[in-house]
Coordinates of all heavy atoms in Angstrom, one line a residue:
M1 N 0.8 -1.2 0.0 CA 0.0 0.0 0.0 C 0.9 1.2 0.0 O 1.8 1.4 0.8 CB -0.9 0.0 1.2 CG -1.8 1.2 1.3 SD -2.9 1.0 2.7 CE -3.0 2.6 3.3
S2 N 0.6 2.2 -0.9 CA 1.3 3.4 -1.0 C 0.9 4.4 0.1 O -0.2 4.5 0.5 CB 1.1 4.1 -2.3 OG 1.6 3.2 -3.4
R3 N 1.9 5.2 0.6 CA 1.7 6.3 1.5 C 2.0 7.6 0.8 O 2.9 7.6 0.0 CB 2.6 6.1 2.7 CG 2.2 4.9 3.5 CD 3.1 4.8 4.7 NE 2.8 3.6 5.5 CZ 3.4 3.2 6.6 NH1 4.4 3.9 7.0 NH2 3.0 2.2 7.2
E27 N 13.1 8.6 -7.7 CA 12.2 7.5 -7.7 C 13.0 6.2 -7.6 O 14.0 6.0 -8.2 CB 11.3 7.5 -8.9 CG 10.4 8.7 -8.9 CD 9.5 8.8 -10.2 OE1 9.8 8.1 -11.1 OE2 8.7 9.7 -10.2
G28 N 12.5 5.3 -6.7 CA 13.2 4.0 -6.5 C 14.2 4.0 -5.3 O 14.7 3.0 -4.9
D29 N 14.5 5.2 -4.8 CA 15.5 5.3 -3.7 C 14.8 5.0 -2.4 O 13.6 5.3 -2.2 CB 16.1 6.7 -3.6 CG 17.1 7.1 -4.7 OD1 17.5 6.2 -5.5 OD2 17.4 8.3 -4.8
V56 N 10.3 3.2 0.3 CA 10.9 3.5 -1.0 C 10.1 4.5 -1.7 O 8.8 4.4 -1.7 CB 11.0 2.2 -1.8 CG1 11.5 2.4 -3.2 CG2 11.8 1.1 -1.1
L57 N 10.7 5.5 -2.3 CA 10.0 6.5 -3.0 C 9.5 5.9 -4.4 O 10.4 5.6 -5.2 CB 10.8 7.8 -3.3 CG 10.1 8.9 -4.0 CD1 9.3 9.6 -2.9 CD2 11.0 9.8 -4.7
E58 N 8.3 5.7 -4.5 CA 7.7 5.0 -5.7 C 7.6 6.0 -6.9 O 8.1 5.7 -8.0 CB 6.3 4.5 -5.4 CG 6.3 3.3 -4.5 CD 4.8 2.9 -4.3 OE1 3.9 3.5 -4.8 OE2 4.7 1.9 -3.6
K59 N 7.1 7.2 -6.6 CA 6.7 8.1 -7.7 C 6.5 9.5 -7.3 O 5.9 9.7 -6.2 CB 5.5 7.5 -8.4 CG 5.0 8.3 -9.6 CD 3.7 7.8 -10.2 CE 3.2 8.7 -11.3 NZ 1.9 8.3 -11.8
F60 N 7.0 10.4 -8.0 CA 6.6 11.8 -7.8 C 5.3 12.1 -8.5 O 5.2 11.8 -9.7 CB 7.7 12.8 -8.3 CG 8.9 13.0 -7.3 CD1 10.0 12.3 -7.5 CD2 8.7 13.8 -6.2 CE1 11.1 12.4 -6.6 CE2 9.8 13.9 -5.3 CZ 11.0 13.2 -5.5
L76 N 4.6 9.4 -3.7 CA 4.1 8.2 -3.1 C 5.3 7.3 -2.6 O 6.3 7.2 -3.3 CB 3.3 7.4 -4.1 CG 2.0 8.1 -4.6 CD1 1.4 7.2 -5.7 CD2 1.0 8.4 -3.5
T77 N 5.1 6.7 -1.4 CA 6.2 5.8 -0.9 C 5.5 4.5 -0.6 O 4.3 4.4 -0.4 CB 6.8 6.4 0.4 OG1 5.9 6.5 1.4 CG2 7.5 7.7 0.1
S78 N 6.3 3.5 -0.5 CA 5.8 2.2 -0.1 C 6.6 1.7 1.1 O 7.6 2.2 1.4 CB 5.9 1.2 -1.3 OG 7.2 1.0 -1.7

Side-chain angles (χ1 to χ4, degrees):
M1 181 173 140
S2 295
R3 296 181 179 175
E27 292 176 352
D29 289 349
V56 174
L57 186 79
E58 292 179 355
K59 179 182 177 188
F60 279 101
L76 300 174
T77 62
S78 60

